[in-house]
Structure formats: structure tokens, C-alpha cells
Amino acid sequence: MATKKLQIITGEILDDESEITLIQLCQTCDVRAETIEAMVEQGILEPRGRRGRHWCFPLSSMRRARVALRLQHDLGLNLAG
């Protein structure tokens, strides 16, 4: 008889009340701050707080930024696209 392995997945539920800094978002997405700033200018991301290093983003911005970057890379779309 075959034995089954039990796989346990742990994690944390992320909500939009939690925030991530500009620096953390850049590190998570492996991009420069200029890339995130361009996404803000195009309306892809909506920061909270004062401009630049003082920006904070809702955690949903990580997924949104990654999708935009993947569309750029895989389909050759620009940020406006």
C-alpha cells in the first residue's frame, strides 16, 4: 500500500489595511524605485503618504506590480498598456 505524505502550508493572510514601503515593494518586485514611480504616474499603483521614500502602499500593490511587470516582460506591453 502506498503511503501519502502530509504537506503543511503555512502563511499569513494579507489585507489592504497593512502597508508596505516603497523600498520593500522595490525589493519584493526586484525593481528600482523609478519603475514603481512610473507605475504610480500611470495609475497602476496608488501610494499613501508623501511622495518618494515616504510612500506606503497597500499590500495588494505587490500583486498588482508583479502582474504589470509580467505583462511588460511576457507580452512586451508598456505601462500604459
Side-chain angles (χ1 to χ4, degrees):
M1 187 185 298
T3 60
K4 293 183 181 181
K5 281 189 167 181
L6 177 63
Q7 183 177 13
I8 298 174
I9 299 173
T10 61
E12 182 178 335
I13 296 176
L14 305 176
D15 60 25
D16 262 354
E17 291 182 20
S18 299
E19 295 182 331
I20 186 171
T21 66
L22 173 62
I23 294 169
Q24 291 169 325
L25 185 57
C26 290
Q27 291 171 342
T28 300
C29 295
D30 195 27
V31 296
R32 298 172 53 121
E34 292 82 10
T35 303
I36 300 299
E37 289 172 1
M39 288 184 188
V40 170
E41 289 173 9
Q42 290 295 322
I44 298 168
L45 301 175
E46 296 180 17
R48 299 173 184 156
R50 295 183 306 161
R51 183 166 177 78
R53 294 196 181 271
H54 300 284
W55 274 345
C56 287
F57 297 85
L59 286 178
S60 60
S61 296
M62 288 189 304
R63 176 163 167 59
R64 187 169 261 235
R66 286 180 177 162
V67 168
L69 292 167
R70 191 170 55 245
L71 289 171
Q72 275 188 307
H73 181 265
D74 293 350
L75 300 178
L77 294 178
N78 61 16
L79 289 177

